[in-house]
């Protein structure tokens, strides 16, 4: 599974599986990035939440399909 953080291949506007250094893994849309932060969003039935996450808190960003295919093999 290719880690897009280490490949520096994260595209704004796409939904990815984002793994935090604390072990949390969730799907987020990457809206933008700065040299130090990713601007991420997620939606619920009623709202869209936008937040920033420091790049040093993110251990991996993966294509959703690739991540799920890899989990199915485990």
């Amino acid at each position: 599974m290719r880690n897009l953080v280490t490949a520096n291949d994260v595209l704004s506007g796409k939904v990815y599986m984002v793994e935090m250094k604390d072990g949390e893994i969730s799907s987020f849309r990457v809206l933008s990035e700065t040299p130090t932060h990713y601007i991420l969003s997620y939606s619920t039935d009623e709202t869209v939440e936008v937040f920033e996450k420091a790049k040093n808190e993110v251990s991996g960003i993966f294509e959703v399909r690739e991540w799920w295919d890899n989990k199915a093999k485990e």
Side-chain angles (χ1 to χ4, degrees), residues 2 6 10 29 36 38-39 47 50 53-54 59 63 68 70-71:
R2 193 169 86 124
T6 57
V10 177
R29 183 176 303 276
T36 59
Y38 291 108
I39 311 303
T47 63
V50 177
K53 184 60 91 170
S59 59
E63 294 282 354
W68 281 110
N70 189 61
K71 290 300 170 195

Side-chain angles (χ1 to χ4, degrees), residues 6-32:
T6 57
N8 197 26
D9 196 19
V10 177
L11 298 176
S12 295
K14 285 191 71 173
V15 174
Y16 295 105
M17 296 305 292
V18 179
E19 182 175 8
M20 307 302 174
K21 289 193 174 170
D22 66 6
E24 175 191 354
I25 301 173
S26 296
S27 62
F28 297 113
R29 183 176 303 276
V30 176
L31 298 178
S32 185

Side-chain angles (χ1 to χ4, degrees), residues 32-43:
S32 185
E33 67 179 288
T34 70
T36 59
H37 288 77
Y38 291 108
I39 311 303
L40 305 171
S41 74
Y42 68 93
S43 59

